[in-house]
Amino acid sequence: MSDHADQAEQNIETFLHSAIANARRHSPLQSDGHCVFCDEAVAINQLFCCRECRDDYDKEQRALRIAGGL
Ligand SMILES: [Zn+2]
């Protein structure tokens, strides 16, 4: 019985971990201390290490939107 409960708890934990990982993948504009564009370490709450990266990221996103037909 308690084994069963442990298993359920384990499943919830696994589910939460993958949900968080998914959310991270789908919202790159959430700062995690790394430049969104080049992965360089940046101050927390900073999305980009420099203006060039932000510009390049914007360009890339625009190109992706156009390529995706959105
Ligand atoms: Zn960068």
Side-chain angles (χ1 to χ4, degrees):
M1 191 64 181
S2 80
D3 278 357
H4 199 79
D6 282 352
Q7 185 62 46
E9 203 165 301
Q10 187 70 41
N11 286 343
I12 290 165
E13 208 156 298
T14 305
F15 172 78
L16 280 178
H17 275 290
S18 61
I20 290 166
N22 269 329
R24 284 225 178 107
R25 252 199 302 281
H26 291 294
S27 48
L29 291 179
Q30 200 110 112
S31 174
D32 66 349
H34 291 89
C35 175
V36 171
F37 192 71
C38 73
D39 226 27
E40 182 101 17
V42 294
I44 212 80
N45 291 329
Q46 283 266 283
L47 291 175
F48 302 98
C49 66
C50 61
R51 222 177 56 191
E52 280 74 23
C53 273
R54 199 196 59 198
D55 288 350
D56 284 352
Y57 179 81
D58 278 350
K59 266 182 241 164
E60 191 188 73
Q61 289 303 299
R62 224 168 297 152
L64 283 174
R65 265 198 297 274
I66 292 165
L70 293 173

